[in-house]
Each structure stands twice: as structure tokens, then as C-alpha cells.
């Protein structure tokens, strides 16, 4: 296979519609969706990807019905608890990005435990975006920046500002994959994706599989990433 992205981020969309077309409750789609995360992680590792980030719950998703929100919060907690052994065995470093302090306390504990117990690992990096929204990330970053008396706003660089984002120790995503046919970012990693390649598929997240993932990676391999520069071949 050609060029492999270092960091792939997923907007896991379409769980509800996946369930709806099957006459199932929405939460069944979420349950299936969580199982897909495990499969996709194995494929990412196998193909030499180093970082995978999954958008699991946006800040805006809190405005969904209480029953769906609480189902999801319980699902996340169960997922992390059950999956932690695998992450330790595979030496995967776990991170969570988003406003974690608004999450149920038991989920916060599960997250914190997994973050702390995997800080020494470097084989693979799994990040889950929970209660994440790029706009609130920026506001949070500016708030912390202004608290730092040593910062000189006139000389501020992107490298300085980046340190205040939830993603401070992650490389920018090279490839963002969104399932379910929607072609938008829905407030996900807006600054970090400035030069990311975007890949959209109509498949609903619970049906996303190895074949689809490899197609996306292959497509990425054909993209020319200029990052504002001139392509050498056209520069004669
Ligand atoms: C994505 O699936 C998962 C979350 C946002 C939590 P959705 O729940 O958005 O599914 P659709 O888009 O309604 O089908
Ligand atoms: C984006 O999906 C958030 C996640 C996948 C967690 P949404 O379903 O919330 O996005 P919109 O509302 O279609 O833009
Ligand atoms: Mg959706």
C-alpha cells in the first residue's frame, strides 16, 4: 500500500439511521457502533497508522433526549472498562479530548484511570472525543492563555497557541473519515484539520468495515498534499 496516514480521525455518524432502517431502537445502533471502534482500531494498527481519534459525542449532542444521552454515557463507561485490558496488553496510550468535567462522575473516573494507566505507552494512540466541540475548545484555550501572565499576545505563534488545545500532544489528523453520507465537520477538530484530507462515505458507522477503511486509506494515498506550497512537478 502507498502512503499511510499517521493520524486518522473518525466522525462516527449514522448509528441512529442504521437502527431506524432496521426497525430497531437508536441505542442498538450505538451499541453496534461501539463494537466497530474495536475492529477499526485493530485494522489501523495492522496497517501502520499510529494515531486514531474517534468523535463519540459532541458538545451539541447534549441537547438530545435525556434517555439517549444517558444510554450513551453508560455505553462509554462500559466500553472503557471492558476495553482497558486490551489497551494495556497492546500498549495503547489512551487520551480523551473535550470538556470532560461535564460528564457523569463515574465516566470521568473511568477516563482518568485509563489515561493515567497508559501514559507510558507509545505503540499506538487512541483518543476519544467526548463532549467535544471545536468552538468551546478555542474558548477554553483562550481562557487558559489569558491566565498565563508570561504569554505575550503580540508575539504569539500557532505553535504557542496549540499548547492550549485539548490536542496539544497529538499530531494534526492527516485523514478525517465521516460515515453516513453527511459532508460536514460538525464542529470537530476545526483548527487541527486545516490541512487534513477529508473522506466521506454513505455507509452508516455500524456497517463501516475493513474493506471501507482500506478504500479510504488507498484514496488518501492518491491525494497530493501541498500545504500551500507549489508542486515540484509544476515548478519547471
Ligand atoms: C453518531 O450517530 C453517534 C453520535 C452522535 C453519538 P447518530 O446518533 O448521530 O446517528 P444519526 O446521524 O442520527 O443516524
Ligand atoms: C457528529 O454527528 C458528532 C458525532 C459523530 C459524535 P452529529 O449527528 O451530531 O452531527 P450533525 O448534527 O449531523 O451535524
Ligand atoms: Mg448523526
Amino acid at each position: 500500500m502507498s502512503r499511510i496516514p499517521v493520524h486518522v480521525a473518525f466522525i462516527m455518524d449514522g448509528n441512529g439511521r442504521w437502527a431506524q432502517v432496521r426497525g430497531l431502537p437508536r441505542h442498538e445502533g450505538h451499541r453496534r457502533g461501539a463494537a466497530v471502534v474495536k475492529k477499526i482500531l485493530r485494522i489501523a494498527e495492522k496497517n501502520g497508522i499510529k494515531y486514531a481519534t474517534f468523535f463519540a459525542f459532541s458538545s451539541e449532542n447534549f441537547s438530545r433526549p435525556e434517555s439517549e444521552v444517558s444510554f450513551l454515557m453508560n455505553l462509554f463507561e462500559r466500553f472503557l472498562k471492558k476495553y482497558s485490558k486490551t489497551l494495556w496488553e497492546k500498549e495503547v496510550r489512551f487520551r480523551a479530548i473535550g470538556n470532560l468535567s461535564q460528564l457523569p462522575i463515574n465516566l470521568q473516573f473511568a477516563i482518568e484511570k485509563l489515561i493515567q494507566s497508559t501514559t507510558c505507552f507509545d505503540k499506538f494512540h487512541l483518543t476519544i472525543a467526548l463532549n467535544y466541540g471545536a468552538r468551546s475548545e478555542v474558548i477554553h484555550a483562550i481562557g487558559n492563555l489569558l491566565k498565563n501572565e508570561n504569554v505575550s499576545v503580540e508575539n504569539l505563534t500557532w505553535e504557542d497557541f496549540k499548547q492550549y488545545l485539548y490536542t496539544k500532544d497529538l499530531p494534526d489528523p492527516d485523514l478525517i473519515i465521516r460515515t453516513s453520507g453527511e459532508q460536514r465537520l460538525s464542529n470537530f477538530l476545526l483548527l487541527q484539520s486545516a490541512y487534513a484530507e477529508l473522506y466521506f462515505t454513505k455507509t452508516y458507522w455500524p456497517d463501516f468495515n475493513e474493506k471501507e477503511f482500506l478504500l479510504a486509506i488507498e484514496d488518501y494515498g492518491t491525494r497530493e498534499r501541498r500545504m500551500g506550497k507549489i508542486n515540484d512537478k509544476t515548478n519547471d
Side-chain angles (χ1 to χ4, degrees):
M1 199 174 270
S2 55
R3 193 160 38 90
I4 295 288
V6 174
H7 182 179
V8 182
F10 298 88
I11 303 177
M12 311 186 275
D13 199 15
N15 293 352
R17 280 164 284 168
W18 180 92
Q20 195 184 15
V21 295
R22 285 165 178 77
L24 297 168
R26 288 178 64 85
H27 66 74
E28 193 53 34
H30 295 315
R31 221 173 48 77
R32 296 289 189 109
V36 174
V37 173
K38 296 184 190 173
K39 266 196 268 171
I40 293 304
L41 267 175
R42 277 200 299 273
I43 302 159
E45 279 179 302
K46 204 168 81 185
N47 284 278
I49 291 161
K50 290 289 277 182
Y51 293 79
T53 298
F54 294 87
F55 198 8
F57 194 87
S58 73
S59 322
E60 292 72 24
N61 289 150
F62 262 122
S63 46
R64 292 187 179 196
E66 211 281 315
S67 57
E68 180 165 349
V69 172
S70 63
F71 178 87
L72 283 165
M73 295 300 152
N74 282 320
L75 179 70
F76 299 145
E77 190 188 334
R78 270 181 291 144
F79 177 90
L80 296 182
K81 283 184 172 162
K82 267 185 147 171
Y83 202 38
S84 49
K85 199 162 159 265
T86 312
L87 298 182
W88 295 326
E89 279 165 9
K90 288 176 177 271
E91 300 185 19
V92 173
R93 181 159 178 189
F94 176 79
R95 292 179 183 84
I97 55 172
N99 185 352
L100 306 179
S101 65
Q102 285 173 351
L103 298 173
I105 196 73
N106 287 348
L107 176 56
Q108 288 187 45
F109 286 148
I111 290 170
E112 204 43 47
K113 188 173 168 203
L114 209 45
I115 291 175
Q116 295 306 336
S117 61
T118 63
T119 40
C120 54
F121 297 146
D122 190 33
K123 273 209 178 133
F124 191 86
H125 298 257
L126 162 66
T127 303
I128 308 274
L130 278 171
N131 191 21
Y132 175 86
R135 289 178 175 174
S136 47
E137 178 181 33
V138 170
I139 292 167
H140 172 263
I142 295 173
N144 283 335
L145 177 94
L146 295 178
K147 276 187 220 154
N148 185 345
E149 287 161 10
N150 301 320
V151 166
S152 133
V153 176
E154 292 99 79
N155 302 320
L156 193 70
T157 65
W158 169 245
E159 294 305 316
D160 299 328
F161 185 70
K162 235 168 86 168
Q163 301 311 315
Y164 293 88
L165 297 173
Y166 295 130
T167 51
K168 62 176 182 299
D169 54 353
L170 291 174
D172 285 344
D174 300 294
L175 172 64
I176 295 189
I177 298 175
R178 182 172 187 147
T179 55
S180 92
E182 312 301 349
Q183 301 193 16
R184 55 176 171 260
L185 291 172
S186 301
N187 206 11
F188 185 50
L189 298 179
L190 297 186
L191 294 175
Q192 297 85 341
S193 66
Y195 279 101
E197 298 297 328
L198 308 180
Y199 184 90
F200 299 103
T201 166
K202 289 202 166 74
T203 304
Y204 294 142
W205 179 256
D207 283 334
F208 191 71
N209 56 25
E210 177 160 21
K211 191 166 157 241
E212 284 259 7
F213 188 14
L214 295 181
L215 271 178
I217 299 172
E218 208 173 291
D219 189 75
Y220 170 85
T222 67
R223 310 270 184 106
E224 192 188 327
R225 304 188 75 197
R226 288 189 289 275
M227 317 269 189
K229 300 185 187 110
I230 293 174
N231 176 351
D232 288 343
K233 286 177 225 135
T234 60
N235 196 16
D236 307 326

